Every structure is written in structure tokens, then in C-alpha cells.
Amino acid sequence: MTRCEVKAYVVNPRPGDLRVRTGAGNTYATVGHLPDDKLDTVNIIGSSGGWIKINRAEDEDENVFFKKVGWIPVASFGLTTASNPMTGYHYLYAGPSKKSRTMERLKADTPVMLIGCSGKWVKVRVHRKIGWLAPEAQCSNSRTTCV
């Protein structure tokens, strides 16, 4: 498992199928379900093989309604790029470091699909590319551009 400390929101909900499991796989026991109707943000503490490990979920008013550790398939989660008042864009990097090669400039509010994470960096799919977003480039709030 890769440890991380990031947030994301549901972008591909499958009604009734946001099961939180004890391990990274469908064969593990279910420890709970995230409700479709009030889910906004999950706190991600790890990733492994297409799964994310969470320890909390909040509604749009930041009320915690799920506080258990468990695993969910990463394919249901994403975020957008944050606003950058200095340049108007953020970079997509080839690795989880600003020293890695830049792959593309992304405008604010560009939707990205979560693939994984490492530390405070997120691995994403955007415009048919897979790359990494720096912490300041991430917006896990589905209702703002995170200025």
C-alpha cells in the first residue's frame, strides 16, 4: 500500500454500490456503505491496485457521516484542478515531484479521474494522459474552484 493524505469526491456513483471493504478487493468483507445522497468528500489515506483506503467521509457542509477505515474502488472518485491566480493553470507531472517532466498545462476546474496517490500528490487520468497533480493543484470540492 502507498500511503497518502488527499481528498476526492464521487464522480461515478453506482447507486447502492459504494461499499467500504476491509481490504483492497471485492472478496473482502463490507464494513459499511457510503450513501449516494449525501456524499461529498472522502479522506484518502492510502492506495493499492485500483483501490483507495479511506478513514472518513463528509457531506457538503463538512459534517462527518462515515468514520471507519476501509477500501473502495478508485474508479468512482475524482477531483478538479484548483484555480491558480498567478498563472491561470497548473501542470500535470510525469511523477509525484515538481522535478519530474511536465506533461501538460491544465486550466482551473479541469475534471480529472483519480487513479492513485502518494503522499499529498494524486495520480490522475486527464485528456487521455496519466500523470500527477501537486497538492496545490487539487480541488476536492465539487462546488468551487478552490481559489
Side-chain angles (χ1 to χ4, degrees):
M1 176 187 85
T2 303
R3 293 184 186 274
C4 47
E5 186 183 328
V6 297
K7 292 186 177 190
Y9 57 84
V10 175
V11 292
N12 287 328
R14 291 182 284 177
D17 198 28
L18 290 173
R19 285 179 232 150
V20 182
R21 298 187 178 273
T22 58
N26 288 323
T27 58
Y28 289 92
T30 300
V31 296
H33 291 79
L34 299 181
D36 310 332
D37 60 341
K38 66 179 186 179
L39 179 63
D40 187 52
T41 304
V42 293
N43 192 59
I44 303 167
I45 59 172
S47 68
S48 180
W51 290 74
I52 56 170
K53 188 175 187 180
I54 68 166
N55 66 357
R56 181 173 77 242
E58 302 171 351
D59 66 16
E60 61 188 28
D61 296 317
E62 298 182 4
N63 298 310
V64 176
F65 61 85
F66 186 88
K67 195 169 182 175
K68 294 181 183 177
V69 175
W71 294 84
I72 302 178
V74 72
S76 295
F77 294 90
L79 47 143
T80 58
T81 52
S83 182
N84 184 343
M86 298 295 286
T87 63
Y89 59 85
H90 287 285
Y91 286 110
L92 181 69
Y93 292 92
S97 165
K98 289 187 179 179
K99 294 179 181 177
S100 66
R101 178 177 56 87
T102 58
M103 300 172 64
E104 184 174 348
R105 287 196 290 195
L106 300 172
K107 294 179 185 175
D109 210 28
T110 300
V112 298
M113 293 299 300
L114 187 64
I115 294 176
C117 52
S118 179
K120 293 186 178 189
W121 286 70
V122 290
K123 188 175 186 180
V124 298
R125 177 178 288 118
V126 59
H127 304 148
R128 299 184 184 193
K129 294 178 183 173
I130 294 176
W132 293 84
L133 285 180
E136 68 275 7
Q138 302 165 27
C139 180
S140 61
N141 186 325
S142 62
R143 293 164 315 285
T144 73
T145 56
C146 298
V147 177

